Every structure is written in C-alpha cells, then in structure tokens.
Amino acid sequence: MLNQPSSKYKAFTPVRLIDRTWPDAVLTVAPIWCSVDLRDGNQALIEPMDIPRKLKMFEMLVKIGFKEIEVGFPSASQTEFDFLRRLIDEQLIPDDVTIQVLTQAREPLIGRTFEALQGAKQAIVHLYNATAPVMRRVVLGMNEDEIVQLATTNARLFQQLAALQPATRWTFQYSPEMWSGTELAFSKRVVDAVTEVWQPTPEHKCIINLPSTVEHSTPNIFADMMEWMHRHLARRDAIVISVHPHNDRGTGTAAGELALMAGADRIEGCLFGNGERTGNVDLVNIALNLYTQGVSPGLDFSDIDDIRRTVEHCNQLPVHPRHPYAGDLVYTSFSGSHQDAIKKAFAARREGDVWDMLYLPIDPKDLGRSYEAVIRVNSQSGKGGIAYLLENEFGLELPRRLQIEFSHVVQSVMDASGKELSAQDLLTLFEQTYGTRSVTAPEQLVIEESTQSGGKSFNIKAAVRLGQLVHQVQGAGTGPIDAFVTGLAAATGQDVRVLDYHEHAIGSGASAQAVAYLELRINGQTLFGVGMDGNIVSASLKAIISGLLRSQSGLGQPAPSGATIAV
C-alpha cells in the first residue's frame, strides 16, 4: 500500500447540498421492491443458474411477495431467452406480478428483447447506457451530445416496438449506468431527454433507475446526489425514482436506506446481497430493518431458513453464518454476560410486550427461527447460557448456586476440548455429574408418619448401597428428608446436612417427573445433589444420595454408576 494514497486516489467530490432534508426523514412505508436475483445476481455467479434453478428462484420470489421481478437479460443468451419464454408460454407469472428484463441501448438487443416478451400481460423493459466520464472517454469514445442521442434514439425504439404489441401493458425504465460516477447536471440532462421522448404521466409513470454501479462515496453523499435528482428532474410526478446500490465500500444497505429517505420510491437488489464484486444491496436486510422499526415491508420472511437454503441451492453460494437476520449464528450468544442478560430478559418478558430484548433486535420466532439457537455454549460461555439451554430444551430449572457449580464442570470440559457443547451434550454431562440416570429409587421404602403434640414426625427405613457397601438406614425427623439425612449420617458416619431445597415438575399427567435440587454440606464440603423420579419424595432422596456419592468421588466428578436405594 502507498504511504500517500492521495497520489493515486482522488477523494469523491461532495454535492454540498446545504439545505438537504433527508437527515430528518423517517421511513414509514415500504418502498417498491424489485428483485434482480435472476439477472444481476445470476450474472455474478460462478455457475449461472440453469432453467430449473431459475424457476425455483422465481417461485420463491413470488411466494415472498415480490411484485416486480427482473427475470433476465433475454438478448444475452439462449438460456435467458428460453427461460423468459417458459414463464410466458406456461403462464407461470401471477397476474399481480410484473416481470422486468434488461437490455443495452443497442438496436439488435432491443429487438430480441421485445421478441422474447411477446404475449406477456405486463412487463418492465429496462434500457441502460453508460454515462460516466470515464466510460464516455475510455470505453465509448463519445461526448455528452452523442450519449444523449444514443439514449433518446433507443428510447424511441422502445416506443415503436411496444406499439406493435398493444395487448401488453408496458412500463419503460431507464438507467444512466454508472450514475454514481456521473456529473449530476449531465445525469439530469440525459434523463430529462429520455422522459421527453417517453412522455410519462402520473397515471402511467416510467421508472428512472439511479444505480451506484460502483460505490464511490460515503452514503451521505450518495443521499445528497439522490435528493438533488429528486428535486431537479423534469416530470418528477410522472417518474418512479429507483435506486440500485452496490456494495463496493460495504455500505450498500446504508446507501439504499438513505437514498429512500432522500426521495427514491423503489429499490432494486438481491436476497442476501448477491451480485457482482461485493454484491448488490441486500433486500432482506433493508426489509427486516424496516420491520424492526414497526414498518411492514410487505414481504414475507417468516421462514428465513427455507429461503436461505433455496438461495444457496440456486446460487451455489453459501450465506455467511454472521449475515444479518439469516445467518446460522446471528441469534446466537456465546458470551457468558450476554447469555445471562438474555436469560433474564426472556424471564421478564410477558406475551404481548413490545419487543425490547437485550442483544436481539428482532424476535427470531417472527422469522421461523426458534430460541434453541439463541444461546450456545463454548469456552466463552457462562452459567446463564448453560442454565438457559437446560431449561428451554429439557425443562431443568437449575437454582442459581447450582448454575454456578455446574458451570465450573462445563468450563473444565470446554477448556480440555476447545469445542462447542450442544444442549444434548450439556444434558449428558449434567446427568453424568449428578447421577440423575444412575441413582435409582428403592423397590421398597418404608416411611411412617405419626402425629405428636409438637406436630408431625416421620420415621424412615431403607437400605442404601454406596458402591460395594450397603448401609441400613433408620432415622426420624420432621419430614422424610430430615429423617433420611439423620439416618444416613448415623449409618455412614458422614456429616450430612441440607442447606437448601428446590423442586419442580417436568411434564404433566402420568409421565410427569419431579426434579429435586438439594444443596448439601457433607463433611464440611458444600455441593449439590440432584434427583429425578415420578415421586417427589423419591426424587429428594435420590438427590441426597447423588450429593453423597459426589462428595466421595470428588466434587464435580460424575457420580459412580450403580448407586441405588433399596430395602
């Protein structure tokens, strides 16, 4: 790279629109959308779509709700021509959808384009020619007058050929290609000359498409250019101003949104930003940006994953996992502090509340995504994320101090493996750590309840197997847990005390399970035991055995298998 890039690169000249109004504008309605996936997007592919893939893409665009779809460049190849004919001949175009086709300002190509459109109910025919100084000087070898003549001559040809097919409702569209690099005064001159030929009316408008064929400036300057054109074009009330942003500077979405604020009525782009070089503006991004501001985009992305898979199939290109709204990881938090905040925000939210969720600008469910992927666990994760997954996937509502304890177990596994743990991996590790599958309920358990002047008392008898040893347990207390702990301490010589107790049910009816979480102090060591059973008392006793086995095997180690409570 150059130490002085100014010796090679010239800064883009601002418009200096002192009284600009777009910074105060607020987008309150959706623009007219036009998908160019089948033309601009297709020509940028390593392997352009064949007709089956084109049909699949077209059907999906219709399903999403696009009413204007650029279907190809029919004069460019036989495949493009044949695809357009198939759409028309097989009546695959819904009555409320208008197809659009593109052609250069060259007579043979224009003739071939109108030939391909025979029998269409309605169509937008898009004419373009280059206008930028470097194109005029280096590529075309034309001056400004010759460029204007080129545009108007072919605009007249549009009228002549359209008149030969009166059954079709025609809309004409003109693009000064490389408008983003063309002098504004000359852009106005050539556009005004074209509309002078076409004579659009407020009832039957033409489209003037102003593309950032290459992004040259910051989005605010592009917006100034758009507002200047919006103010100065002749016949403005008979024109739909369309914007076609590219993404060379990585600001295509911002440029598109600011252009709409500056007076554009319509926007062309591709799903997920496919297109030449760095791509076209991402229409999904702009549509869902509007949605998050309470503005209906008029497009349906309620199954975003299916749309993404279809686009990936048709384009043979992947959508990045961090792509806004659609990527695999965009609703995923690995950070422990983020996970804890999201978990608390979900717990506080009530159905019908305005969406105000930490780290999630949109409700994933609105796009067909579940909450399952919002929090995932790796070495950067904390207790909140682990607890969230266990609760949302498996119904385990871990008390806070148990969350802290188990997070240390998870962290040690993550540090050793360096890999992400799935929700199922977490459940397996939890079951191994606390023995929820290996500690079984007794086949017989005697619990006697009696009433005394001081209240109820309980006596319990059981045989407890710890490893190879069987301990006869007999104890009394104010409840089954108290009685069991008293008898267990006497039978084993272990100092066992219950510090805290939590329980809840998973499921309902005959298949419901009770889960008990007991915080215990055993021989001065504080740790949790967890039990699960169809009976809440049995679940609580299992939790005590779980804690005792963990204390013997080492805190955080999986409970030994084969631990039972039996008479």
Side-chain angles (χ1 to χ4, degrees):
M1 294 178 66
L2 301 174
N3 290 329
Q4 297 294 331
S6 60
S7 65
K8 185 174 183 179
Y9 300 99
K10 180 182 177 181
F12 195 83
T13 304
V15 179
R16 304 196 184 283
L17 192 67
I18 304 303
D19 58 343
R20 61 181 62 86
T21 62
W22 62 261
D24 294 322
V26 177
L27 297 177
T28 58
V29 296
I32 301 168
W33 305 103
C34 179
S35 160
V36 296
D37 290 87
L38 289 164
R39 197 278 304 170
D40 202 350
N42 184 54
Q43 72 183 33
L45 300 178
I46 300 169
E47 179 186 340
M49 286 180 257
D50 55 18
I51 288 180
R53 282 192 292 163
K54 275 178 164 281
L55 282 171
K56 190 175 184 69
M57 177 73 81
F58 179 78
E59 290 167 355
M60 182 191 65
L61 293 170
V62 170
K63 183 178 179 182
I64 290 170
F66 285 97
K67 302 305 180 185
E68 297 183 1
I69 302 172
E70 190 169 74
V71 296
F73 202 143
S75 64
S77 72
Q78 192 62 44
T79 298
E80 296 282 286
F81 187 96
D82 291 344
F83 174 64
L84 178 53
R85 290 312 315 163
R86 184 166 178 178
L87 291 178
I88 296 170
D89 293 339
E90 297 183 13
Q91 300 182 354
L92 301 175
I93 306 166
D95 289 341
D96 62 345
V97 171
T98 302
I99 57 171
Q100 176 174 304
V101 294
L102 182 73
T103 178
Q104 290 174 300
R106 294 171 56 188
E107 183 176 350
L109 302 183
I110 294 171
R112 179 71 166 165
T113 300
F114 276 87
E115 178 188 349
L117 285 166
Q118 288 181 3
K121 293 179 180 179
Q122 62 264 340
I124 299 168
V125 194
H126 184 179
L127 173 71
Y128 77 95
N129 62 276
T131 57
V134 66
M135 291 292 286
R136 300 194 307 257
R137 183 180 69 252
V138 175
V139 179
L140 301 175
M142 291 182 174
N143 59 32
E144 291 185 4
D145 291 342
E146 290 170 322
I147 292 292
V148 172
Q149 183 178 0
L150 176 67
T152 55
T153 297
N154 287 285
R156 291 188 189 94
L157 181 58
F158 265 42
Q159 288 181 308
Q160 295 164 11
L161 293 175
L164 299 176
Q165 299 183 51
T168 300
R169 178 173 174 80
W170 300 102
T171 298
F172 297 155
Q173 175 171 327
Y174 174 70
S175 287
E177 190 197 7
M178 294 193 70
W179 174 75
S180 52
T182 303
E183 312 94 315
L184 286 176
F186 182 59
S187 294
K188 169 180 163 53
R189 179 187 171 192
V190 69
V191 168
D192 285 350
V194 169
T195 61
E196 174 68 22
V197 172
W198 284 343
Q199 288 294 307
T201 66
E203 295 72 35
H204 192 184
K205 298 181 180 183
C206 73
I207 302 169
I208 297 300
N209 190 55
L210 302 175
S212 58
T213 308
V214 177
E215 267 199 316
H216 293 298
S217 68
T218 52
N220 62 303
I221 294 176
F222 187 72
D224 281 349
M225 295 171 66
M226 185 63 65
E227 184 164 340
W228 191 96
M229 292 291 282
H230 169 60
R231 292 185 190 182
H232 291 93
L233 283 180
R235 305 169 191 86
R236 178 64 183 91
D237 64 345
I239 292 172
V240 173
I241 292 184
S242 180
V243 61
H244 183 118
H246 279 248
N247 197 43
D248 300 272
R249 294 171 55 91
T251 58
T253 294
E257 290 180 327
L258 297 190
L260 293 172
M261 293 163 61
D265 310 297
R266 178 181 187 264
I267 190 162
E268 296 184 348
C270 291
L271 302 180
F272 311 123
N274 182 45
E276 292 183 288
R277 304 183 309 280
T278 56
N280 295 282
V281 69
D282 178 1
L283 296 186
V284 179
N285 200 345
I286 292 184
L288 294 179
N289 284 353
L290 287 172
Y291 184 81
T292 64
Q293 302 303 302
V295 178
S296 173
L299 300 174
D300 183 3
F301 295 109
S302 58
D303 193 348
I304 196 75
D305 287 339
D306 183 64
I307 293 170
R308 187 190 71 231
R309 286 190 293 267
T310 300
V311 170
E312 289 177 328
H313 166 75
C314 293
N315 289 345
Q316 300 292 290
L317 291 173
V319 173
H320 196 280
R322 297 291 182 190
H323 200 98
Y325 299 112
D328 277 337
L329 298 178
V330 295
Y331 305 114
T332 299
S333 177
F334 291 104
S335 163
S337 60
H338 288 194
Q339 292 174 343
D340 186 60
I342 291 171
K343 179 177 181 291
K344 290 174 180 175
F346 271 127
R349 187 173 189 275
R350 298 294 175 262
E351 189 66 31
D353 288 352
V354 170
W355 186 257
D356 186 20
M357 186 62 59
L358 294 160
Y359 306 112
L360 292 171
I362 194 172
D363 186 345
K365 284 191 173 180
D366 289 353
L367 305 181
R369 299 282 286 267
S370 69
Y371 294 136
E372 297 171 6
V374 169
I375 291 178
R376 288 163 62 175
V377 174
N378 66 8
S379 59
Q380 303 300 308
S381 305
K383 63 184 182 302
I386 296 165
Y388 175 91
L389 286 177
L390 289 176
E391 180 174 349
N392 281 270
E393 293 284 310
F394 307 109
L396 296 171
E397 302 171 12
L398 275 58
R400 180 172 174 78
R401 287 193 294 276
L402 177 55
Q403 295 177 25
I404 295 171
E405 180 184 281
F406 184 54
S407 70
H408 293 310
V409 179
V410 175
Q411 192 67 48
S412 65
V413 172
M414 291 300 313
D415 288 342
S417 69
K419 296 180 180 180
E420 178 186 355
L421 293 183
S422 67
Q424 184 60 53
D425 293 334
L426 288 175
L427 178 65
T428 300
L429 183 59
F430 184 80
E431 291 173 342
Q432 291 173 345
T433 302
Y434 295 97
T436 57
R437 297 293 182 189
S438 58
V439 177
T440 59
E443 293 182 3
Q444 294 180 344
L445 181 64
V446 178
I447 301 175
E448 297 177 346
E449 178 183 344
S450 61
T451 302
Q452 301 175 352
S453 58
K456 291 183 178 181
S457 65
F458 292 81
N459 289 281
I460 192 168
K461 295 180 180 180
V464 178
R465 184 184 302 276
L466 299 175
Q468 300 300 315
L469 298 178
V470 177
H471 301 273
Q472 299 299 322
V473 172
Q474 184 171 344
T478 57
I481 293 175
D482 184 39
F484 185 71
V485 168
T486 301
L488 191 62
T492 64
Q494 306 289 324
D495 180 15
V496 181
R497 285 185 288 163
V498 177
L499 303 180
D500 202 3
Y501 173 87
H502 298 268
E503 59 88 12
H504 66 82
I506 298 177
S508 60
S511 61
Q513 290 281 297
V515 186
Y517 312 98
L518 272 69
E519 188 175 17
L520 306 166
R521 178 158 295 175
I522 302 175
N523 300 327
Q525 182 184 31
T526 300
L527 73 166
F528 273 86
V530 180
M532 186 181 300
D533 196 272
N535 178 278
I536 184 58
V537 173
S538 296
S540 301
L541 302 187
K542 285 183 179 182
I544 296 169
I545 297 299
S546 164
L548 188 58
L549 289 168
R550 293 185 68 232
S551 74
Q552 293 178 350
S553 63
L555 178 61
Q557 298 301 312
S561 61
T564 61
I565 306 173
V567 175

